[in-house]
C-alpha cells in the first residue's frame, strides 16, 4: 500500500484485477501490454512496431529503464517512455541482452 507504483504485465492484471481494484491500487498500476505498449493511470503508452527477435528479459529491461529514469527525473511519464524505449531496443536483439545508455539517448 505504500508503494508509489506497481508494475505488472497484462496476464497478471487480468488474473488479479478485482483484488487490485478493491484494494485501491488501480492508480498505481503500470501494466505492460507487450507489443501494445503499457497503461498507467488510464493512459495508454503505445510503442513503435519493431522486428522482434527475442522477448527474453523484456520485462526486466522495462523495469530497469523505468527505475533508472524515475530516479533520475522523478517523472513517471518520462520513466515509462524510457522504459519502453529500452524494451523496444532489447527485443530486437537475439537472446537475453542488455541496452546501453547511449542507445536510449
Amino acid at each position: 500500500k505504500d508503494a508509489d507504483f506497481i508494475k505488472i504485465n497484462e496476464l497478471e492484471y487480468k488474473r488479479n484485477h478485482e483484488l487490485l481494484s478493491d484494494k485501491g491500487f488501480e492508480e498505481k498500476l503500470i501494466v505492460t501490454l507487450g507489443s501494445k505498449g503499457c497503461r498507467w493511470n488510464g493512459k495508454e503508452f503505445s510503442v513503435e512496431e519493431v522486428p522482434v527477435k527475442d522477448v527474453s528479459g523484456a520485462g526486466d529491461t522495462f523495469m530497469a529503464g523505468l527505475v533508472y529514469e524515475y530516479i533520475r527525473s522523478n517523472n513517471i511519464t518520462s520513466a515509462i517512455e524510457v522504459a519502453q524505449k529500452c524494451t523496444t531496443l532489447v527485443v530486437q536483439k537475439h537472446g537475453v541482452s542488455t541496452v546501453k545508455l547511449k542507445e536510449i539517448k
Side-chain angles (χ1 to χ4, degrees), residues 14-104:
K14 287 178 179 177
R15 289 184 177 167
N16 298 288
H17 177 339
E18 290 178 19
L19 172 67
L20 294 166
S21 294
D22 290 347
K23 299 287 184 185
F25 292 129
E26 198 71 35
E27 70 278 356
K28 296 180 178 194
L29 294 178
I30 299 171
V31 182
T32 54
L33 308 169
S35 64
K36 297 176 281 182
C38 74
R39 181 177 54 248
W40 170 69
N41 206 20
K43 182 177 179 191
E44 300 279 333
F45 294 81
S46 62
V47 291
E48 66 178 293
E49 189 173 321
V50 297
V52 176
K53 294 181 180 169
D54 197 329
V55 297
S56 300
D60 294 330
T61 300
F62 180 93
M63 187 59 120
L66 184 80
V67 171
Y68 166 79
E69 180 61 18
Y70 188 68
I71 289 171
R72 194 193 70 71
S73 69
N74 198 34
N75 181 317
I76 193 60
T77 301
S78 174
I80 289 170
E81 291 167 355
V82 167
Q84 291 195 139
K85 174 71 172 172
C86 292
T87 303
T88 300
L89 291 167
V90 84
V91 299
Q92 295 179 72
K93 300 177 181 188
H94 286 291
V96 177
S97 191
T98 60
V99 176
K100 294 180 175 34
L101 191 56
K102 66 181 179 181
E103 291 179 280
I104 61 174

